[in-house]
Structure formats: structure tokens, C-alpha cells
Amino acid sequence: MINLSNVSLQFGGRYLFKNVNYRINAGNKISLVGVNGAGKSSFLKLLIGELLPESGKIIRQKGINIGYLPQDNIIHIGKTLFEEAKSSLNTIINLEQKEFEITNKLSQNNIHEEEQNDLINQLGEIHHRLEELDSYSTESKIEKILTGLGFEKNNFFRLTDEFSGGWQMRIALSKILISQNDLLLLDEPTNHLDIDSLKWLLDFLKDYKGALLVVSHDKHFVNQVTNKTLEIYNGGFNTFNGDYDAYLKFKKERDIQTANLYEQQQNKINETKRFIEKYRYKATKAKQAQSRIKKLEKINLIELPDNKTKINIKFPESPQSGKVNIELISISKSFGEKVVFDNISFRYYIRTKLDVN
């Protein structure tokens, strides 16, 4: 389906990964893991072509359909919820439009017999293709997925403009699940789901026949829907056949072993440096010291797992606030006819000894 050959990606001179090779096959169920900042979201964007690699090739199967759900910044406007969900079925929509146009032409009285026969043949091909795509159950499929993700039927014909950010993400997820995709790329898909919607999504993905690549901090979710792990680790790719729990066990053992090897290497390096400093200017040992300098330069340094950059942040001392910090008076908020809260008042203030007494 998708083949990566010697692919590298960097930002600001820092490689996220370099000269990596990987293949996603039909039906693969993969969990993509790595420390924060390792490049997981960037990797998904590479696969859909939103980012281009610095070097290497990404070869996608001809005609492959990929559904991609980013973490945030999704907004739908101008259509009803049901129309927006259906818009993901581009192939069916185009075929239905052609069907409508041909039917109108066939209803004309002045059409020639040869043209009529040609249009009838085209219409037959369209009907055959629509049957292959199971287009006649489209509306029930859309309804099933929307309700599964927590939308109430009385909201199907509300404008998408009226839905809040979390529901916008659910709309995007519904479109990906409705469309006929060969591969789903899901970046933290559970962030905006409640328990019922999450359970429904788990059941849906367990039955999904296409390939899946998911990034998620939800351990239970990943264990349920994937059976392979792709790890971005120290600028490279590690693959592991097994669920997320099995990968974590492997990772813990590997990290302990790597830390031990790192400590051994550092002790050896420090010992070598002490020898060099002690004997580099002594004629009888200078040759040995130079030899060890060259060996140091050729050492492949072991990196500690999950190295994280420490960030030091200092905030200036804030001025003393007033007694009342926040006060809301008769606040209301709604999305269309959906009232979130109405006419509420709230005050937050600093309690002092005087207030207590």
C-alpha cells in the first residue's frame, strides 16, 4: 500500500528520523509510538503528502484512499451535519449526479436512438458501480455512524457552524469512517469522545477491514485495535509484532539494558580521557595517547532512551490582585437551539481571615 525508502525528515537542523524504511500493507493494524516531539504527527502528514521528506521516496499504491484525522483545528461550515457527513462519499455523489443527468436526457423527446442506447449503457454501468459501493444503504450507514459517535437524530439537520470544537472533531471522524478508505491515519482519535462513543468506535475499528495507523495515549484503546507497533526511537524506526502491552514490556527491558550499556561506555570514555590527559605530553606514552584519541573519535555513542530536553521557565512575580478575581453576571451560551448554560452568575474571590470571621 505505502512504501517508505530511505526517508528523512528534519526541522530546524534536527532530524526526527533519518534514512528510515518501512512498509504499510493491506490490513495492518499499527500503533505509532514515541516520546513527545519524536515526529509521530509529522509522520502521518508525510504519509498523506501534507509534508514532503527531505530525502528518500514515499510510494503509494495507485488509487489508494487514505482517511486522515489530525489532532485539532478542524472546522466545518455551510452545510447541515448530515450533508457534511455525506460529502465524504465523493465517488457515490458523483455517480448519483451523473445518474440524474442521464435520466433527464433520456426523458427528452427529441433524443436519437443511437444516443439513447449509449445513455442506457452508461446508466447501466453507473447502477452496477453504485451497487458495488452499496450506495443504496448510504443514508442508513451515515445515520448509524453519526449516532454511534454521539450525535442525536434531531441534530442531523443543524448547520455544522453551530457545533463546538469537540463536536467538530467528531464530524471529521464520522466523515473518515463513512468514506471508503483503504487506510485510516488517526491522531489521538479518542480525545473528544465520551465513554459510549469510545466503546462504539472500538467495536467499529475491530471490524474494519482496511489498514489502520493510530497515535493515541489511551492504552486500552490501542491494545484493542492494533497488533503491531512502530516506534520512532533516536531518529530511527523500530518495529514490534505484538499489542501495546507487549511492546511496553519489551521497551522497559530494552531501556534498562541501554542505560547499563550507556553507563559502561561512559566509564570507558572517562577512563580513556584520564589516560590521555595524564600521558599525552610524556614522550614514552604520547603515541599511546594519540592512538586512544583516535579511538574516542570513532566511538558510536550510545544514547539514553527517551532523552528529553529540559525547559526552564521563570515567571516574573505578579502584582497583588483584587479581592474578586473573576465575576460572571447573567451569562448565557448556546449553539443554535442547543443551550449549554443560561443566565448563570459566578464569583471567584480570595478568602481572607476577615472573610472567615
Side-chain angles (χ1 to χ4, degrees):
M1 294 181 72
I2 300 182
N3 190 45
L4 285 78
S5 177
N6 295 318
V7 170
S8 299
L9 182 67
Q10 68 162 319
F11 288 107
R14 172 181 169 265
Y15 279 98
L16 296 178
F17 35 84
K18 188 174 184 180
N19 297 328
V20 296
N21 298 282
Y22 193 71
R23 180 174 179 82
I24 300 174
N25 295 310
N28 281 170
K29 301 293 189 291
I30 305 166
S31 170
L32 179 62
V33 301
V35 298
N36 291 337
K40 299 186 292 294
S41 295
S42 296
F43 179 64
L44 298 185
K45 292 176 182 178
L46 277 177
L47 294 178
I48 63 168
E50 190 173 318
L51 285 179
L52 297 177
E54 181 187 73
S55 60
K57 293 182 179 180
I58 300 177
I59 302 171
R60 301 172 186 85
Q61 177 183 317
K62 187 176 180 180
I64 187 174
N65 292 316
I66 302 175
Y68 169 55
L69 179 74
Q71 283 193 42
D72 47 29
N73 296 326
I74 294 180
I75 298 176
H76 305 89
I77 58 174
K79 295 179 181 177
T80 66
L81 170 60
F82 198 89
E83 288 172 339
E84 187 65 49
K86 188 176 181 179
S87 70
S88 61
L89 297 170
N90 293 323
T91 302
I92 291 177
I93 290 172
N94 291 336
L95 287 170
E96 288 178 341
Q97 180 60 33
K98 288 180 181 178
E99 178 187 36
F100 177 76
E101 292 171 357
I102 290 174
T103 302
N104 279 344
K105 286 183 180 180
L106 286 171
S107 66
Q108 296 174 7
N109 296 325
N110 58 349
I111 188 171
H112 297 293
E113 184 179 352
E114 184 176 347
E115 183 182 2
Q116 184 182 46
N117 291 334
D118 180 55
L119 290 173
I120 290 172
N121 288 332
Q122 289 184 44
L123 192 60
E125 291 176 2
I126 289 172
H127 287 165
H128 177 68
R129 180 62 178 141
L130 287 171
E131 286 178 5
E132 286 182 337
L133 294 173
D134 196 23
S135 67
Y136 304 107
S137 63
T138 293
E139 293 201 356
S140 62
K141 180 182 178 182
I142 293 173
E143 181 178 326
K144 179 181 178 181
I145 290 176
L146 287 177
T147 54
L149 290 175
F151 293 98
E152 297 177 1
K153 289 185 179 180
N154 58 6
N155 287 327
F156 283 7
F157 299 99
R158 283 176 56 196
L159 287 175
T160 54
D161 314 48
E162 300 174 6
F163 290 92
S164 62
W167 289 100
Q168 291 282 349
M169 296 300 296
R170 294 197 198 198
I171 295 172
L173 180 56
S174 72
K175 292 173 65 177
I176 290 170
L177 302 183
I178 289 166
S179 57
Q180 290 91 3
N181 289 303
D182 306 297
L183 168 64
L184 298 181
L185 307 177
L186 306 179
D187 198 349
E188 299 292 354
T190 66
N191 278 358
H192 302 280
L193 301 181
D194 55 31
I195 293 175
D196 291 336
S197 299
L198 177 56
K199 184 180 182 302
W200 179 89
L201 180 62
L202 278 171
D203 292 337
F204 182 96
L205 293 178
K206 285 178 185 178
D207 295 333
Y208 176 65
K209 304 303 180 185
L212 173 67
L213 182 62
V214 59
V215 177
S216 177
H217 287 90
D218 188 328
K219 181 179 175 181
H220 175 72
F221 176 80
V222 173
N223 271 324
Q224 291 292 309
V225 301
T226 67
N227 54 25
K228 295 178 181 290
T229 302
L230 171 61
E231 179 189 39
I232 302 176
Y233 178 77
N234 286 343
F237 281 6
N238 287 331
T239 57
F240 183 80
N241 290 325
D243 63 18
Y244 189 64
D245 278 340
Y247 157 74
L248 289 177
K249 182 179 178 181
F250 155 79
K251 180 180 182 299
K252 182 178 180 180
E253 294 172 352
R254 181 201 61 196
D255 290 352
I256 291 173
Q257 183 181 20
T258 302
N260 290 334
L261 291 173
Y262 173 84
E263 185 177 355
Q264 293 173 22
Q265 186 183 67
Q266 289 299 308
N267 290 336
K268 184 66 176 177
I269 289 172
N270 292 331
E271 181 184 330
T272 302
K273 287 180 177 179
R274 286 193 295 270
F275 180 91
I276 292 169
E277 290 300 318
K278 186 174 181 179
Y279 295 112
R280 69 189 306 174
Y281 299 114
K282 292 187 178 182
T284 56
K285 297 285 187 178
K287 189 173 182 179
Q288 292 182 42
Q290 288 299 318
S291 175
R292 298 194 185 193
I293 289 173
K294 290 179 181 179
K295 286 183 179 179
L296 276 181
E297 293 172 350
K298 295 179 180 179
I299 288 179
N300 291 322
L301 294 174
I302 297 171
E303 295 186 42
L304 284 173
D306 298 350
N307 285 330
K308 298 178 182 178
T309 303
K310 293 183 179 180
I311 302 175
N312 295 317
I313 301 176
K314 292 184 178 180
F315 294 99
E317 188 173 339
S318 59
Q320 182 67 36
S321 65
K323 181 180 177 181
V324 177
N325 297 102
I326 300 173
E327 185 173 13
L328 307 179
I329 302 174
S330 301
I331 299 296
S332 302
K333 178 63 179 177
S334 63
F335 292 94
E337 296 180 357
K338 181 73 173 181
V339 177
V340 180
F341 44 82
D342 182 46
N343 196 33
I344 66 168
S345 298
F346 174 81
R347 174 182 288 182
Y348 177 80
Y349 61 94
I350 298 174
R351 184 177 294 274
T352 65
K353 290 181 179 180
L354 182 63
D355 297 325
V356 175
N357 295 331

